[in-house]
Amino acid sequence: SQELEQSPQSLIVQEGKNLTINCTSSKTLYGLYWYKQKYGEGLIFLMMLQKGGEEKSHEKITAKLDEKKQQSSLHITASQPSHAGIYLCGARNEKLTFGTGTRLTIIP
Amino acid sequence: AAGVIQSPRHLIKEKRETATLKCYPIPRHDTVYWYQQGPGQDPQFLISFYEKMQSDKGSIPDRFSAQQFSDYHSELNMSSLELGDSALYFCASSWAGTYSGNTIYFGEGSWLTVV
């Protein structure tokens, strides 16, 4: 089965700083999703990457899928309190399997 | 735009009781997924349906069953509830199955508390 490991597990960043979250897969990724979750709430779709080397951006969030398609990174520029939450990467094969999650806290 | 609708949002049941969660996918989505998220854990895949047929099965207990109806809504039935079943249950939907590469959208989740 495919396993996804995210790092770091938790991150505390001062507002305005940049940060990066990594997602490493034990197998080749055929589709990589990034979601954000506020505690006890639904998963909000951020981005989906499918091709090796692909990079997508939305507002201040950029996600990349490496050429070998086994690792993805999520980069937030000039972080804001609204970015706080849990970030989950998900790998799509016959089903969507999630990584371990990264809890992001933004300090004003 | 319409999103994935789950009901009820909160549910409290006693041990050994039965609970039913409902999921209404985004219009024209034909694939539904169910996930269970325990406290502090990542969502765990339970089961999925594509065009009203079960397409994949994950770590769903035998006490649980689910189906997708002709209008594509889905219901997750949980019987003989145990304290460990207390969790946030997510439904998600997409179009044309998981392999299609189409985006999978999640509902807000249903909180089940077993006491």
Side-chain angles (χ1 to χ4, degrees):
Chain A
S1 62
Q2 184 155 32
E3 293 184 358
L4 295 174
E5 188 170 329
Q6 287 183 234
S7 62
Q9 287 187 327
S10 65
L11 194 54
I12 301 174
V13 174
Q14 194 168 23
E15 184 177 354
K17 298 293 185 183
N18 304 334
L19 63 104
T20 300
I21 299 169
N22 294 302
C23 174
T24 302
S25 172
S26 59
K27 296 181 180 180
T28 300
L29 292 161
Y30 293 99
L32 189 286
Y33 294 80
W34 282 101
Y35 289 89
K36 177 187 171 186
Q37 183 182 28
K38 294 275 190 183
Y39 177 73
E41 298 181 8
L43 279 69
I44 300 168
F45 171 76
L46 296 176
M47 272 168 280
M48 180 178 69
L49 305 165
Q50 291 182 278
K51 300 177 184 177
E54 186 175 11
E55 179 176 323
K56 287 186 178 179
S57 293
H58 177 66
E59 298 180 344
K60 294 184 178 180
I61 301 176
T62 301
K64 301 178 185 179
L65 182 61
D66 75 355
E67 290 288 345
K68 294 183 179 180
K69 296 175 68 175
Q70 285 197 254
Q71 188 173 46
S72 178
S73 60
L74 185 82
H75 185 76
I76 299 177
T77 305
S79 58
Q80 300 171 354
S82 61
H83 288 129
I86 299 170
Y87 289 80
L88 292 159
C89 64
R92 175 181 60 81
N93 290 309
E94 67 279 3
K95 57 182 180 286
L96 182 62
T97 306
F98 287 98
T100 47
T102 296
R103 182 179 296 274
L104 174 63
T105 303
I106 307 294
I107 300 174
Chain B
V4 178
I5 306 297
Q6 291 187 244
S7 67
R9 291 296 313 279
H10 297 87
L11 191 59
I12 300 175
K13 290 285 186 178
E14 294 187 354
K15 285 192 301 183
R16 293 180 288 277
E17 283 193 321
T18 298
T20 297
L21 304 180
K22 296 184 179 182
C23 170
Y24 297 87
I26 291 172
R28 292 188 296 281
H29 280 193
D30 52 17
T31 308
V32 168
Y33 314 79
W34 284 99
Y35 284 81
Q36 178 192 58
Q37 186 178 32
Q41 300 177 2
D42 52 285
Q44 296 296 312
F45 174 74
L46 294 178
I47 195 166
S48 63
F49 294 87
Y50 169 59
E51 279 293 342
K52 293 156 279 185
M53 300 286 289
Q54 181 181 307
S55 57
D56 195 22
K57 197 171 182 180
S59 53
I60 184 169
D62 292 339
R63 299 177 288 108
F64 292 11
S65 65
Q67 58 180 322
Q68 186 179 31
F69 294 86
S70 58
D71 64 350
Y72 295 102
H73 94 272
S74 178
E75 295 184 5
L76 177 66
N77 296 296
M78 299 174 284
S79 61
S80 302
L81 287 169
E82 302 173 357
L83 295 178
D85 295 329
S86 296
L88 184 57
Y89 290 83
F90 285 112
C91 172
S93 75
S94 68
W95 181 69
T98 327
Y99 286 108
S100 67
N102 292 320
T103 301
I104 300 173
Y105 293 95
F106 282 77
E108 290 293 308
S110 292
W111 273 108
L112 171 66
T113 302
V114 181
V115 296

